[in-house]
Amino acid sequence: MIVVIILISTLSIFTVYSIRLMLTGYFYGFILLLISLLSIYLVLNPNIAGLMANFLGVGRGADLLLYLSFALGIILFLAIQLKIRRLNQSLTELVRYIAITTVNKN
Amino acid sequence: MATTNSQVWIVIPAYNESSVIADVLCKLKENFKAEQIVVVDDCSVDLTASVVRENSCTLLSHPINLGQGAALQTGITFALENGAEFIVTFDSDGQHRVEDALNMLTQVQSGECKIVCGSRFLGLEAKNLSFSKLITLKLAVIFTKLTTGVSVTDAHNGLRVMTRSAARLINLKQNRMAHASELIGIIKKNNIEYMEYPVKIIYSDYSMNKGQKISNSFNIILDLLIGRILK
């Protein structure tokens, strides 16, 4: 029961964050909202996870959630890498602009 | 000084080279205009910038350290903006010879190709090349062939000469050492006419200490792979 409370509390915070993202124009906020609501539903109805796992041929509901979490983790990692890469490119362009406009000519 | 050299710009990325760069600049100034020798100081913490100013060359300063690839692109961009017809990329650590740059320039100016890349493995013996460095460079050649399909004998030689039209096609995204392989990929992608030219690399204790370690090869491979995946 305590675990359920902790999970629901954490997911509720995540749900609020997703809604904020969505309202500020980020489409992926909608995706995160769906994931958080589905997660809350599965926490409250653990037998559903088991039924889904059997349907997908995985085994236990917990295993299914583990595999999905792993896949989601990989996707998030790549998304963050892409974001970092874009930030680095912007930073590089800014540094280049500063270097060229403050050229020291003798 | 040859009339054609007035259209030539030299781009030298530099990081903490105050002990050797003066000699490099002096030799280059014998053949090229000082103001067309562009040193891109990649946020050095020594007196590199002061030495460049003392030698009356053009100094571009990165406010933060980005890497050799970024410094090279900054220099190329600047040279193009200032009307360069030919661009020579030259290392700041004294490994390159000006006579090799001049010979390569002749190749490009004759119209034989748009880019000439120096190679230390085309006949001229590399002085003091260590075995580990040799292995690193040979692996780089294999990796470049696998990733770009381009066969070169020396994938990581900083001495290159290119025409303006070729330079305009170059837009290096790899800030650090992976830029060398990226450049070869750009040459392939844009079908830029290129050739390799034998050059002599002079290794000193100084340059060997500063040079690429074989362990850095893994970082280069990782940078290139991530770059391809996230393109």
Side-chain angles (χ1 to χ4, degrees), chain A residues 19-35:
Chain A
I19 293 171
R20 279 194 65 187
L21 276 179
M22 206 172 64
L23 292 177
T24 49
Y26 292 100
F27 174 73
Y28 66 84
F30 177 67
I31 305 295
L32 292 176
L33 177 64
L34 288 180
I35 291 172

Side-chain angles (χ1 to χ4, degrees), chain B residues 72 115-119 137 140-158 160 162 170-172 174 177-192 194-196 224 228:
Chain B
L72 200 63
I115 289 184
V116 178
C117 300
S119 171
L137 292 170
V141 167
I142 295 170
F143 180 74
T144 300
K145 172 70 178 174
L146 289 172
T147 55
T148 67
V150 179
S151 293
V152 294
T153 59
D154 191 348
H156 279 256
N157 194 309
R160 307 174 193 91
M162 61 191 81
I170 293 170
N171 185 11
L172 297 171
Q174 294 287 348
M177 299 312 294
H179 73 275
S181 298
E182 185 193 10
L183 183 61
I184 294 173
I186 291 172
I187 289 173
K188 168 79 184 292
K189 184 182 169 191
N190 292 282
N191 292 316
I192 303 174
Y194 81 99
M195 63 179 281
E196 286 189 291
L224 288 167
R228 278 185 172 262

Side-chain angles (χ1 to χ4, degrees), chain A residues 22-80:
Chain A
M22 206 172 64
L23 292 177
T24 49
Y26 292 100
F27 174 73
Y28 66 84
F30 177 67
I31 305 295
L32 292 176
L33 177 64
L34 288 180
I35 291 172
S36 61
L37 290 176
L38 177 64
S39 301
I40 291 173
Y41 180 73
L42 289 175
V43 168
L44 293 173
N45 299 279
N47 55 312
I48 301 295
L51 289 172
M52 287 170 64
N54 284 332
F55 178 75
L56 293 169
V58 171
R60 300 180 304 170
D63 292 339
L64 174 64
L65 290 176
L66 184 64
Y67 298 154
L68 288 176
S69 299
F70 180 74
L72 190 63
I74 296 289
I75 292 169
L76 282 173
F77 172 77
L78 288 174
I80 290 169

Side-chain angles (χ1 to χ4, degrees), chain A residues 77-79 81-83 85-86 88-89 91-96 98-106, chain B residues 52-53 56-64 66 70 73-74 77-78 81-82 173-175 226-227 230:
Chain A
F77 172 77
L78 288 174
Q81 278 293 321
L82 189 60
K83 183 77 175 176
R85 189 174 162 81
R86 285 180 182 151
N88 271 338
Q89 283 174 356
L91 180 63
T92 299
E93 284 168 24
L94 179 61
V95 169
R96 183 161 296 139
I98 291 170
I100 290 175
T101 52
T102 59
V103 59
N104 191 313
K105 282 186 182 178
N106 290 297
Chain B
V52 175
R53 288 192 200 99
S56 305
C57 297
T58 297
L59 174 68
L60 301 179
S61 299
H62 280 174
I64 59 172
L66 290 179
Q73 185 60 56
T74 297
T77 302
F78 180 81
E81 286 180 1
N82 284 270
K173 298 289 185 194
Q174 294 287 348
N175 282 356
I226 291 174
L230 299 179

Side-chain angles (χ1 to χ4, degrees), chain A residues 7-28:
Chain A
L7 285 173
I8 295 294
S9 304
T10 309
L11 288 168
S12 298
I13 295 170
F14 191 63
T15 303
V16 170
Y17 175 71
S18 305
I19 293 171
R20 279 194 65 187
L21 276 179
M22 206 172 64
L23 292 177
T24 49
Y26 292 100
F27 174 73
Y28 66 84

